[in-house]
Amino acid sequence: LDILNYLDELNKQGITIIHVTHDTDEARRAKKIIAIEKGSVFFQGTPDDILKNPQLELKLFGEPLMRLTSFFDDRLKNKEIVLKMQDVSFSYDNNEKSLFSNFSLELKKGTLNAIMGASGSGKSTLFEIASGLLSPSAGKIFAQSMPAFALQDCDSALFEEFAADDVAFAPLNNGFSPEKIKDCVKNAMDLCTLPFDEFADRKTMELSGGEKRKLSLACIIAMDKDILFFDEPTSALDPASRCSIMKTLRRLCDDGKTILFSTHRLDEGAYADRCITIEDGKIIYDTQEGEESIAESNNLSDFIQIEPHPQTKVLDKIQKTKNGEYQDKRSIIHKINPVLKYLIFFTLFIAGL
């Protein structure tokens, strides 16, 4: 909102703003909307022009996400717990205030859970802790199986030359049979509206931003894990694709998967079975608050404890021992002017030749 207000202020000063967006509310703040399809402009007009034409509005912004049932249905009741975070604490620097302190959370089997909060509130960090990519300073995480995590930065998760090979990477390394690999890859790509027959042989780096987003989601779905984390899965997607992805998450839950996803969109939060809002590493609102937990939530005998990956421990050590070390030093060398340091270095270098 602050950025949009800033753009409005710049526009008032006479600066022309070209804002590319899929967001309905953002588009309606504009004085003029230009809509393109397959490289051609098919609409130019004001937001009011769109509102007067329901078919055009549907074409531009898609159908609204609607839940068929309310938050007060039976979907969350009598479900076994599949993931449990107990009194987890975490900070990026031991000398700084903890981002999470005694944080606890339980997820129920087959449910679609949304987590909301402002940027920097800890959503992505929470996913990384729960999936073993970050080491908590205190607390434990238990789960019925190892979760799979789709990163917010989809480019970081894609590395194969062809799209289908990217999706097949995890099933192949998990020892799936060739037949199951093909089935998992095709099913995942089709679910994410990247039809296998059309996109399997497309080069990954030539895909659009939205297509890469869908491909990164397909990579995680193809792993066939029971617990799935998605960090802003609909970011940068057009309305139709966004709606399709949310419905895909719902279908996965109907098949018994448990999903936790982050979002900044209220309609996506309302679409979930449960919506959690965090602020400064604490839950400030939970639509499940007050519901009685079932007995299975305390039985951890069949659970595994989520431990940080070995590589994570190495990275943590490097970050905690090296991060900011230069700034903390107050020696004579650190106080020398940088130009003088270069002169001393080159003098010693030449003298040593």
Side-chain angles (χ1 to χ4, degrees), residues 80 117 162 194 278 326 332:
E80 61 180 304
F162 297 102
L194 289 177
I278 64 173
Y326 178 84
I332 295 176

Side-chain angles (χ1 to χ4, degrees), residues 121-192:
S121 59
K123 301 186 297 300
S124 298
T125 302
L126 180 66
F127 288 130
E128 294 181 46
I129 295 171
S131 56
L133 297 178
L134 288 176
S135 304
S137 57
K140 296 179 179 180
I141 302 105
F142 299 94
Q144 286 190 350
S145 60
M146 192 69 187
F149 174 33
L151 299 171
Q152 184 179 145
D153 181 9
C154 56
D155 283 325
S156 298
L158 303 174
F159 45 84
E160 293 284 1
E161 183 177 4
F162 297 102
D165 291 337
D166 245 320
V167 184
F169 181 82
L172 180 63
N173 281 273
N174 286 336
F176 291 9
S177 67
E179 294 77 12
K180 186 174 182 180
I181 290 174
K182 185 174 180 180
D183 288 341
C184 286
V185 171
K186 186 178 187 305
N187 178 61
M189 293 183 71
D190 290 345
L191 280 174
C192 293

Side-chain angles (χ1 to χ4, degrees), residues 128 131-135 146 169 173 307-320:
E128 294 181 46
S131 56
L133 297 178
L134 288 176
S135 304
M146 192 69 187
F169 181 82
N173 281 273
E307 298 282 1
H309 298 290
Q311 296 89 341
T312 300
K313 294 180 180 180
V314 174
L315 290 174
D316 283 348
K317 186 175 181 180
I318 293 173
Q319 290 176 335
K320 290 178 180 178

